[in-house]
Amino acid sequence: MTTHSIAVASPVRKQFQFAIDRGGTFTDVYARCPNGKTRILKLLSEDGTDYSDAPREAIRRIIEQETGKPLSQDTPINTSNIDWIRMGTTVATNALLERKGERMVLVITKGFRDLLYIGNQSRPKIFDLKIETPDVLYEDVIEVDERIVVQQAKNQRNELETNYPVVTGITGENVKVWKSVDAQQVRIALLKCYSQGIRSAAVVLMHSYTYPEHEIAIGEIAKEIGYTQVSLSAQVMPMVRIVPRGFTCCADAYLTPSIRRYVNSFAQGFKGGVEKLNVLFMQSDGGLTPVDRFTGSRAILSGPAGGVVGYALTTYNKETNLPVIGFDMGGTSTDVSRFAGQYEHVFETTTAGITIQAPQLDINTVAAGGGSMLIFRSGLFIVGPESAGAHPGPACYRNGGPLCVTDANLVLGRLLIDHFPKIFGPDKNESLDLDASRKALEKLTTEVNEFLRTNSLPPMTVHEVAMGYIRVANESMCRPIRVLTEARGYDASKHVLACFGGAGGQHACAIAKSLGMKTIFIHRYAGILSAYGMALADVVQEVQEPCAKVYEKGNFAAIDDRIHVLAQRCVDKLMDFGFQRDMIELEPFLHLRFEGTDCALMCGNSDVPANEDSSKYGDFRAAFMGRYQREFGFTLQNRNILVDDIRVRGMAKTGLQNQVVIPKATGPPETIKVVECYFDSRFMPTKLFLLETLQCGHQVEGPAILIDPNFTVLVEPGCVATITEAGDVRIDVLTTSAQRLSTRLDAIQLSIFSHRFMCIAEQMGRVLQRTSISTNIKERLDFSCALFGPDGGLVANAPHIPVHIGAMQETIQFQIKAFAGHMKDGDVFLSNHPQAGGSHLPDLTVVTPVFLPTGTKPIFFVASRGHHADIGGITPGSMPAHSNSLLQEGARFKAFRLVENGVFQEEALIAALMEPANHPGSSAARNIRDNVSDLQAQVAANHKGIQLMLELCESYGLEIVQTYMKYIQDNAEVVVRDLCRTVGQTMKEKTGSSRLFAEDHMDDGTLIVLQVDIDVNEGSVVFDFNGTGIEVFGNCNAPRAVTYAAILYCLRCMIGHDIPLNQGCLNAVTVIIPKGTILNPSENAAVVGGNVLTSQRIVDVIFKAFEACAASQGCMNNITFGDETCGYYETVAGGAGAGPSWDGRSGIHTHMTNTRITDPEILEKRYPVILRQFSLRPKSGGKGAFNGGDGVIRELMFRKNLTLSILTERRVFQPYGLQGGEPGLPGKNVVQFKDGRAVSLGSKGSVVVNAGDCLILQTPGGGGWGDCRNRDTSKPKAEHRTFYEKGSLYDFRSAQESAPL
């Protein structure tokens, strides 16, 4: 489509202006008419009978009604009286969610055909045995035999590095062209796909971010053939890391044609199309762009971005100078964001399983909306994450839907049928169905009361149950707000809550009370704020390119030159659109990080003027250091700052500059009527007001309901709403939500406390991540934080790293015994020893007892466990492949007083970290400074937990908090007992016995034996490991804590839904592990392999006994290489086991690990290796009615002389199949020497490799399930979810749950 000029709106409007948000359910429209009149319209986005396109229909209706001239739907609309149209659309998002984009082919470097299928190799939900990941977007793959390699000056020169052309890339790095593109081979492959009807191609080549010539050449061939969409990764988003860049490029190729088709369809309804019409689309970054530049990769958050712009420009610095939390509650989900004068962008986030590497507003979508389903399970009130969506919708939508949050609000009188659109029923002309909501709630209340009766608790009324679910829903929405603010070092209570969206106004007061916020702001257009935001937004042009320079004086000229070039590109493009230079504002950014870290921050030049020691565009170092200090609590001294990317954002102001002023009130507000609305424990008379009748200065005390045609505001008791001069609503919250409870179990409070305890553990984790210094904790997020009761029993643990689950409890209880009678306020303890609940020595646990001011006994405990990169021992990283004694694995702490009377015992700590050097062949901890800093960060995280727990005690009372700690543990016990009864009864019916048995071998022949005895009546279970092999002379011995973690992990997987993972889960479990075995070794037995290998075999044996699924790869495939100058460690994916109704996933981490793998481009930039292949291992999964997943092939070529170590399993004994399924293939570890000789390394080994040698790693496949003769070969119907969490909070949690061990 031809680029066209953008007309800038004049102050006197003589034409129509339309801002439209086409959402999944409704299309919202804000229109300015030629006479200055404002029109608001809301239509269903899909209505096959009345109109074909909602935005076009809205434009037609408004023009027809305002001009009085009939406009037929069949007649194209005359554009002469339209100034501009601005739109946000879910077209791209829906195509991504439903996988209805363009058929496309992926063109990728040879050896990487499955790279985007494998992704980062972590699974999205760690407790799902049926691992479900979204489909890849491409239909076919073409591997191109080309190769670019980044030159590494520090490497030894050898024949690998010679005889290749050397060129300078865009980043300034030298790259070597190992192999050029074979144009003929590419043309033949592309023609084959073209002949199959494919017209879209995504080209993704290694290191194209700095050397794009090969992609450009392939793109030209594709265009010559006739491909209508060709997306080149180096152009779509020129950033290092091929996996997210590849995902982004695929999304662009997959979605852009869908957008183009929609735009063309939309244009057909206008005379002459939209070539001469000023049409702008909202991008994910909050800026508008011309229709011809609107692409798939930048369209994912098109609609929600308008809402952020809307509240940012109408709330911030209007009624208060506090930063603003945006709260957009819709039918399926709730969006949470923050604005404090600048838009908060993220540059990589995951939507529907696809990682998008592009500027996006940091909008966090959580599974809590009006359509969130209400569930009662094992004594817990649960809201979501399952949602009824728009179809069928809640029960009251007259479509047979389930009970949802909207139904609860309706029954409580918070939604008024007479003031709700009549768009329901088969003819879409009926009102909400109150009877359907009431009947569904009555049924659920019966279920709740049955549970209460069996626990000797009083029954609840329908309204009490409904109110309970509203309170639980509110708490679930408070949780992301707390974490979002804490993540950046802010206090949630010191924000304004900007509420918009159709459902948010019903919950705003309760959420503000819970968060301690004093002010709520609701714009007059809150019901259509995304559309209104588009009317206010700027036209944005962004340009970005990669860089690889140090931010230092000698490079400022080069950096400034690139900023100037990029800025000029922005200006030129915006001026091409019709803007004058003085209308354009430019913002330069540098993507900066400390050398040796992965944590890059995009830093602008706002408030950091240039000086003689900075870039002429601003003091970016000061911006970076200030933000790093605020977010992480410290900075790294004497460390280079690297520039990863240079970005310039150009903004042209075209938004409305319109401030509505409404008349001042001359009398009291007019009450329409008084209704009965339920609050807390009773109905209260509640005044009803029409918002359009209220005037500036009117005050409305709660309880009250303010009605607008597009939204409802519930003013709760203790709140006062004031109408501003612009007609907006400001609510002052005068009371908090603190309350006193009895110690008797309240099922509603049980759910709320479960959220609160988990939120505290999560906030502890944020503090630890912010204040730690090492890569392992700060960036790989290899830590967990937890709360414990006064007896040391686990209450809440976040995140759920499988090998940490339940393991810390034994550590706390060991400290309680070790310091019995000697614990005092101001003490903090340190432990990592296997005999004291440790998993392996690098995992250091910091434990803090909490006392009342006058108390002598701890009232509870908080703890944090973090994986330290090195604590000494015989090898760097403290993960030796051949250790045979714990003394070789690093520093040991059983019960060490880390802080005494508030004083950090640094001298004693350093001495303990130096101690391993006393043992032959061992070294002291190799980076003691980082160890000390990280332990101080763990102490700080614990302190945060103490503060939050004491605040909770202040709100509810200590007795209540401790009581609900116990109740939550009791609840988890109930869930596990229910599981045991179900499994035991099933096995009795199947075999006549509730005794289960299984065994399996380690590769050295050591047997792991398990007998499970289930008491069906009691719901209890005994795990008996008698018969297990003795301790081994190696490091595959597993501490008891590892076995307990494996049991708890397996129980949670088999339960199949979220439960509180705490001590209660094991109250119904008895574990028998004979001393002297591989699972209960002697005090100084080596254990590092037990944590990463034996843990997987324990899981295999448990699932085999329960017949839950076939064996997965049963290994973590630990690979280490390095020398005196560098070191690298990774774990590698394999095949997942099949189950009773599913195929095992290929190329994925399973069970006790979920570690992400280093991106191939980062690996080759930073380490002396070439990744020659990373793909699936065909036919390595066991066959069956359901096949096991395939393992992977990973081939590393070494560029210098190094020491290679491997620590693996399942190289001898195959992963078993079940119910007649075949086993998966075992793995192989082969070194191919450059002279052609190949040797097998076996399961474990260490070897010196030279430049040119290769490691060929073939990981095991998963076992099959069922007889392969019963396999259904028909293609299963794809199931597409309509909701995916997204945003920085989701990405952070996902990263935590895929942390290394």
Side-chain angles (χ1 to χ4, degrees):
M1 193 173 290
T2 306
T3 300
H4 54 273
S5 296
I6 297 172
V8 181
S10 61
V12 180
R13 286 168 296 276
K14 295 183 180 180
Q15 294 173 297
F16 288 94
Q17 299 171 337
F18 296 96
I20 305 170
D21 175 26
R22 186 188 185 279
T25 304
F26 290 105
T27 292
D28 298 334
V29 183
Y30 170 86
R32 293 294 301 274
C33 303
N35 59 4
K37 181 180 178 181
T38 296
R39 288 290 305 273
I40 305 299
L41 185 63
K42 186 182 287 280
L43 295 176
L44 286 171
S45 294
E46 301 289 343
D47 189 326
T49 57
D50 291 343
Y51 47 84
S52 60
D53 183 78
R56 191 169 63 234
E57 174 65 11
I59 292 171
R60 187 194 68 79
R61 289 186 188 183
I62 291 173
I63 292 177
E64 180 181 72
Q65 293 166 7
E66 290 301 315
T67 62
K69 298 177 182 178
L71 288 177
S72 169
Q73 288 186 347
D74 299 328
T75 303
I77 299 171
N78 188 338
T79 61
S80 62
N81 60 348
I82 299 176
D83 184 5
W84 49 248
I85 300 172
R86 299 176 178 188
M87 286 181 62
T89 176
T90 58
V91 168
T93 308
N94 292 343
L96 189 60
L97 291 174
E98 299 169 9
R99 293 302 193 259
K100 292 182 178 178
E102 186 78 357
R103 295 179 62 198
M104 58 162 287
V105 60
L106 168 65
V107 184
I108 196 166
T109 302
K110 184 179 178 180
F112 297 95
R113 65 173 298 112
D114 302 308
L115 181 65
L116 299 187
Y117 177 89
I118 298 169
N120 63 21
Q121 77 179 7
S122 66
R123 59 196 188 277
K125 294 188 175 182
I126 58 175
F127 297 115
D128 283 2
L129 296 179
K130 180 183 179 182
I131 300 172
E132 295 182 291
T133 56
D135 298 336
V136 293
L137 302 181
Y138 49 84
E139 182 175 318
D140 204 348
V141 180
I142 295 172
E143 288 189 281
V144 180
D145 192 9
E146 64 81 43
R147 200 59 159 94
I148 297 298
V149 173
V150 176
Q151 187 173 11
Q152 293 181 332
K154 296 180 182 179
N155 285 349
Q156 301 169 356
R157 292 189 60 82
N158 55 71
E159 59 270 25
L160 290 179
E161 308 297 327
T162 59
N163 301 323
Y164 295 112
V166 178
V167 296
T168 301
I170 292 171
T171 61
E173 299 167 289
N174 286 336
V175 299
K176 296 189 174 183
V177 184
W178 276 26
K179 193 155 191 177
S180 297
V181 173
D182 183 335
Q184 185 61 22
Q185 177 252 341
V186 170
R187 185 179 298 276
I188 292 170
L190 283 170
L191 279 169
K192 181 180 178 182
C193 290
Y194 189 85
S195 69
Q196 296 168 353
I198 295 175
R199 296 293 182 270
S200 181
V203 186
V204 183
L205 303 181
M206 282 285 287
H207 301 295
S208 64
Y209 67 94
T210 187
Y211 187 78
E213 279 75 5
H214 285 183
E215 284 192 357
I216 293 170
I218 293 171
E220 290 301 319
I221 295 172
K223 291 175 183 175
E224 290 171 9
I225 291 172
Y227 281 81
T228 55
Q229 175 64 39
V230 180
S231 297
L232 308 182
S233 76
Q235 294 177 357
V236 172
M237 181 43 66
M239 294 180 74
V240 67
R241 294 199 298 143
I242 187 174
V243 172
R245 190 176 73 250
F247 277 135
T248 307
C249 184
C250 285
D252 195 76
Y254 187 73
L255 299 175
T256 301
S258 296
I259 291 173
R260 191 180 299 132
R261 278 193 297 272
Y262 174 73
V263 169
N264 290 338
S265 172
F266 174 74
Q268 288 174 4
F270 297 88
K271 285 184 179 178
V274 294
E275 296 295 336
K276 297 180 181 179
L277 185 60
N278 185 5
V279 179
L280 301 173
F281 275 85
M282 175 61 76
Q283 300 184 106
S284 299
D285 64 357
L288 297 165
T289 192
V291 62
D292 58 313
R293 297 190 61 81
F294 188 51
T295 61
S297 60
R298 304 211 173 204
I300 304 300
L301 298 180
S302 177
V308 175
V309 174
Y311 83 74
L313 298 182
T314 59
T315 304
Y316 185 72
N317 272 345
K318 295 298 189 290
E319 295 295 321
T320 172
N321 59 359
L322 291 176
V324 185
I325 293 292
F327 178 73
D328 178 7
M329 183 177 177
T332 301
S333 60
T334 295
D335 288 340
V336 174
S337 54
R338 182 178 182 275
F339 184 81
Q342 287 188 323
Y343 295 116
E344 296 186 354
H345 288 102
V346 291
F347 297 86
E348 184 179 309
T349 190
T350 301
T351 300
I354 302 299
T355 301
I356 304 295
Q357 202 178 41
Q360 303 171 67
L361 290 173
D362 188 11
I363 301 172
N364 291 275
T365 303
V366 296
S372 294
M373 293 165 56
L374 310 184
I375 301 166
F376 186 76
R377 185 187 293 139
S378 301
L380 279 178
F381 280 56
I382 298 168
V383 178
E386 297 85 356
S387 173
H391 302 284
C396 60
Y397 277 21
R398 300 181 182 272
N399 208 19
L403 186 66
C404 300
V405 171
T406 296
D407 295 301
N409 275 318
L410 184 62
V411 170
L412 295 174
R414 298 172 170 219
L415 279 178
L416 303 175
I417 292 177
D418 293 342
H419 295 273
F420 210 88
K422 294 184 178 182
I423 55 174
F424 306 102
D427 297 325
K428 300 180 181 178
N429 60 355
E430 298 181 68
S431 61
L432 294 171
D433 189 346
L434 176 59
D435 288 340
S437 297
R438 186 180 290 115
K439 287 177 181 177
L441 261 170
E442 288 170 351
K443 181 179 178 181
L444 185 60
T445 301
T446 301
E447 185 182 343
V448 171
N449 285 336
E450 178 59 26
F451 173 85
L452 297 176
R453 184 187 62 78
T454 58
N455 287 273
S456 302
L457 295 169
M460 298 176 68
T461 68
V462 167
H463 297 102
E464 287 172 337
V465 170
M467 189 67 221
Y469 278 105
I470 295 300
R471 290 169 61 191
V472 172
N474 290 339
E475 184 58 39
S476 69
M477 290 182 282
C478 287
R479 188 165 155 186
I481 296 174
R482 289 191 181 98
V483 178
L484 178 67
T485 50
E486 179 63 42
R488 293 171 172 79
Y490 304 116
D491 184 345
S493 66
K494 294 180 172 57
H495 288 72
V496 174
L497 187 66
C499 183
F500 56 105
Q506 300 150 38
H507 298 260
C509 289
I511 287 171
K513 286 180 181 180
S514 183
L515 294 170
M517 293 178 170
K518 302 300 182 185
T519 306
I520 302 165
F521 190 84
I522 302 174
H523 193 269
R524 63 183 305 181
Y525 298 136
I528 59 146
L529 195 64
S530 290
Y532 186 61
M534 293 167 200
L536 303 177
D538 301 328
V539 175
V540 170
Q541 174 68 28
E542 284 209 7
V543 184
Q544 181 171 317
E545 70 178 26
C547 182
K549 295 187 180 298
V550 177
Y551 186 80
E552 60 185 11
K553 201 161 191 174
N555 289 328
F556 287 160
I559 292 170
D560 289 346
D561 178 67
R562 296 314 303 166
I563 291 175
H564 173 75
V565 169
L566 298 184
Q568 192 58 50
R569 287 185 198 169
C570 287
V571 170
D572 291 346
K573 184 61 67 174
L574 289 170
M575 291 182 70
D576 286 345
F577 295 159
F579 294 101
Q580 300 300 312
R581 179 62 185 87
D582 59 2
M583 301 171 67
I584 299 170
E585 295 180 5
L586 296 170
E587 287 186 356
F589 296 87
L590 297 183
H591 204 198
L592 302 173
R593 63 181 172 88
F594 283 118
E595 187 174 26
T597 74
D598 289 324
C599 185
L601 300 176
M602 191 67 77
C603 298
N605 62 351
S606 177
D607 300 324
V608 281
N611 56 60
E612 61 182 11
D613 294 318
S614 77
S615 157
K616 71 179 183 181
Y617 288 97
D619 191 349
F620 292 98
R621 179 191 298 273
F624 174 73
M625 298 292 274
R627 183 173 167 192
Y628 204 96
Q629 176 71 41
R630 187 188 74 242
E631 293 200 15
F632 303 128
F634 67 95
T635 57
L636 300 179
Q637 300 302 314
N638 303 316
R639 187 83 68 99
N640 283 337
I641 297 173
L642 303 183
V643 184
D644 277 350
D645 302 279
I646 301 171
R647 168 179 168 239
V648 176
R649 182 177 174 91
M651 297 163 292
K653 303 292 184 180
T654 68
L656 293 175
Q657 302 297 320
N658 179 50
Q659 178 64 52
V660 175
V661 177
I662 65 171
K664 291 188 177 181
T666 57
E670 178 185 355
T671 302
I672 302 303
K673 63 179 177 179
V674 177
V675 297
E676 291 292 311
C677 189
Y678 195 92
F679 294 94
D680 291 329
S681 60
R682 63 191 177 94
F683 278 98
M684 298 178 66
T686 303
K687 294 181 179 180
L688 179 64
F689 301 88
L690 295 180
L691 192 57
E692 62 185 16
T693 67
L694 299 180
Q695 297 179 319
C696 175
H698 271 148
Q699 287 194 332
V700 176
E701 293 186 7
I705 297 176
L706 310 182
I707 296 291
D708 180 88
N710 295 306
F711 63 94
T712 299
V713 179
L714 181 70
V715 185
E716 294 200 358
C719 300
V720 176
T722 303
I723 307 302
T724 71
E725 66 178 9
D728 306 320
V729 180
R730 188 191 72 238
I731 301 177
D732 295 307
V733 181
L734 307 180
T735 61
T736 65
S737 60
Q739 58 179 307
R740 294 289 170 177
L741 306 172
S742 74
T743 55
R744 187 169 63 183
L745 175 63
D746 181 323
I748 299 165
Q749 288 297 332
L750 182 67
S751 299
I752 291 173
F753 270 105
S754 178
H755 277 289
R756 292 299 295 271
F757 289 145
M758 279 299 295
C759 189
I760 289 171
E762 288 168 350
Q763 289 183 77
M764 288 173 63
R766 286 294 194 166
V767 171
L768 177 53
Q769 188 256 350
R770 281 178 49 222
T771 57
S772 61
I773 196 169
S774 70
T775 298
N776 261 14
I777 295 179
K778 173 172 291 299
E779 295 168 15
R780 295 181 182 173
L781 308 179
D782 191 357
F783 63 82
S784 56
C785 300
L787 312 177
F788 303 83
D791 62 349
L794 177 65
V795 174
N797 192 136
H800 296 321
I801 296 175
V803 81
H804 288 182
I805 295 171
M808 271 197 281
Q809 175 175 300
E810 194 171 327
T811 300
I812 310 305
Q813 292 172 340
F814 188 93
Q815 306 307 304
I816 293 173
K817 293 176 183 177
F819 293 99
H822 300 286
M823 281 188 179
K824 54 187 181 298
D825 195 15
D827 284 350
V828 181
F829 307 106
L830 172 64
S831 181
N832 71 341
H833 201 288
Q835 298 294 310
S839 50
H840 61 171
L841 295 184
D843 280 347
L844 296 180
T845 304
V846 173
V847 181
T848 307
V850 184
F851 297 81
L852 288 176
T854 58
T856 57
K857 292 184 177 181
I859 56 175
F860 50 80
F861 293 83
V862 295
S864 54
R865 174 170 286 185
H867 185 117
H868 287 238
D870 187 283
I871 55 164
I874 60 175
T875 61
S878 305
M879 294 281 288
H882 293 297
S883 57
N884 52 51
S885 167
L886 192 68
L887 303 179
Q888 298 173 328
E889 295 181 353
R892 302 166 312 288
F893 302 90
K894 263 192 179 179
F896 181 85
R897 204 184 296 266
L898 182 64
V899 177
E900 185 170 11
N901 293 323
V903 179
F904 190 82
Q905 303 298 299
E906 186 167 350
E907 186 175 335
L909 172 64
I910 291 175
L913 291 169
M914 295 289 291
E915 193 277 337
N918 297 329
H919 304 284
S922 289
S923 167
R926 295 168 178 82
N927 194 340
I928 289 178
R929 184 184 66 176
D930 280 9
N931 294 128
V932 172
S933 295
D934 283 348
L935 287 169
Q936 290 172 335
Q938 289 178 253
V939 172
N942 287 5
H943 182 67
K944 180 65 174 180
I946 293 169
Q947 286 180 315
L948 295 171
M949 283 298 294
L950 290 177
E951 288 175 10
L952 200 63
C953 291
E954 186 177 340
S955 297
Y956 291 96
L958 173 61
E959 183 181 19
I960 297 299
V961 172
Q962 288 184 331
T963 298
Y964 273 90
M965 283 183 166
K966 179 67 168 60
Y967 285 153
I968 285 172
Q969 293 169 338
D970 292 344
N971 176 259
E973 180 180 345
V974 168
V975 176
V976 173
R977 288 189 186 276
D978 287 346
L979 170 71
C980 292
R981 291 189 185 99
T982 301
V983 173
Q985 190 60 45
T986 301
M987 295 307 296
K988 263 191 170 182
E989 294 171 358
K990 187 176 180 180
T991 66
S993 171
S994 58
R995 171 170 289 178
L996 316 177
F997 179 83
E999 64 180 30
D1000 205 344
H1001 295 83
M1002 302 292 288
D1003 276 357
D1004 66 359
T1006 300
L1007 194 63
I1008 295 179
V1009 177
L1010 172 63
Q1011 179 174 292
V1012 180
D1013 286 293
I1014 301 175
D1015 186 324
V1016 176
N1017 295 323
E1018 293 292 326
S1020 60
V1021 59
V1022 177
F1023 287 82
D1024 186 347
F1025 290 92
N1026 269 300
T1028 294
I1030 62 172
E1031 176 183 320
V1032 298
F1033 187 71
N1035 57 28
C1036 281
N1037 303 292
R1040 285 172 53 89
V1042 169
T1043 300
Y1044 276 89
I1047 291 172
L1048 189 52
Y1049 165 79
C1050 291
L1051 289 173
R1052 168 60 184 83
C1053 288
M1054 290 185 288
I1055 287 167
H1057 56 75
D1058 285 338
I1059 63 168
L1061 287 171
N1062 56 47
Q1063 171 187 290
C1065 294
L1066 294 176
N1067 284 349
V1069 178
T1070 301
V1071 182
I1072 301 172
I1073 311 176
K1075 286 187 176 181
T1077 63
I1078 192 174
L1079 305 184
N1080 192 0
S1082 60
E1083 181 161 335
N1084 287 320
V1087 298
V1088 68
N1091 187 61
V1092 297
L1093 298 178
T1094 311
S1095 61
Q1096 296 282 50
R1097 192 68 75 258
I1098 298 169
V1099 170
D1100 282 344
V1101 171
I1102 293 172
F1103 283 143
K1104 188 177 184 180
F1106 280 85
E1107 297 186 0
C1109 62
S1112 294
Q1113 69 158 334
C1115 179
M1116 299 185 190
N1117 302 299
N1118 303 271
I1119 307 299
T1120 307
F1121 60 79
D1123 60 8
E1124 67 281 357
T1125 65
C1126 72
Y1128 176 75
Y1129 168 71
E1130 70 180 15
T1131 65
V1132 184
S1141 61
W1142 68 85
D1143 290 332
R1145 176 59 155 79
S1146 301
I1148 199 81
H1149 258 323
T1150 55
H1151 300 323
M1152 299 301 281
T1153 186
N1154 201 29
T1155 312
R1156 297 183 178 189
I1157 200 159
T1158 304
D1159 187 90
E1161 289 178 344
I1162 297 295
L1163 178 68
E1164 293 190 358
K1165 275 171 63 76
R1166 298 186 186 175
Y1167 301 98
V1169 293
I1170 301 296
L1171 183 60
R1172 296 190 6 174
Q1173 182 178 1
F1174 189 33
S1175 60
L1176 297 181
R1177 183 187 178 195
K1179 299 182 180 179
S1180 56
K1183 292 182 179 180
F1186 297 96
N1187 291 338
D1190 288 335
V1192 304
I1193 301 172
R1194 189 166 174 87
E1195 185 174 345
L1196 291 167
M1197 175 185 284
F1198 302 99
R1199 302 175 73 177
K1200 62 182 295 191
N1201 300 344
L1202 300 164
T1203 298
L1204 167 69
S1205 296
I1206 60 168
L1207 189 60
T1208 64
E1209 275 286 325
R1210 290 289 193 201
R1211 268 53 183 176
V1212 178
F1213 294 94
Q1214 295 174 260
Y1216 62 78
L1218 280 182
Q1219 301 295 314
E1222 296 178 6
L1225 291 181
K1228 293 181 181 180
N1229 304 324
V1230 175
V1231 170
Q1232 177 95 43
F1233 294 106
K1234 62 182 177 182
D1235 62 7
R1237 184 169 55 103
V1239 300
S1240 171
L1241 295 181
S1243 295
K1244 299 162 187 68
S1246 185
V1247 63
V1248 173
V1249 291
N1250 298 313
D1253 295 341
C1254 294
L1255 169 68
I1256 304 172
L1257 177 74
Q1258 299 183 38
T1259 67
W1265 179 286
D1267 192 321
C1268 61
R1269 291 172 295 183
N1270 298 327
R1271 182 169 180 80
D1272 182 358
T1273 56
S1274 62
K1275 189 174 181 180
K1277 184 179 179 181
E1279 296 181 6
H1280 302 295
R1281 288 161 54 194
T1282 58
F1283 165 75
Y1284 287 86
E1285 282 188 82
K1286 56 181 176 285
S1288 61
L1289 300 184
Y1290 167 76
D1291 292 335
F1292 181 87
R1293 189 178 72 247
S1294 297
Q1296 280 187 302
E1297 292 180 351
S1298 59
L1301 293 167

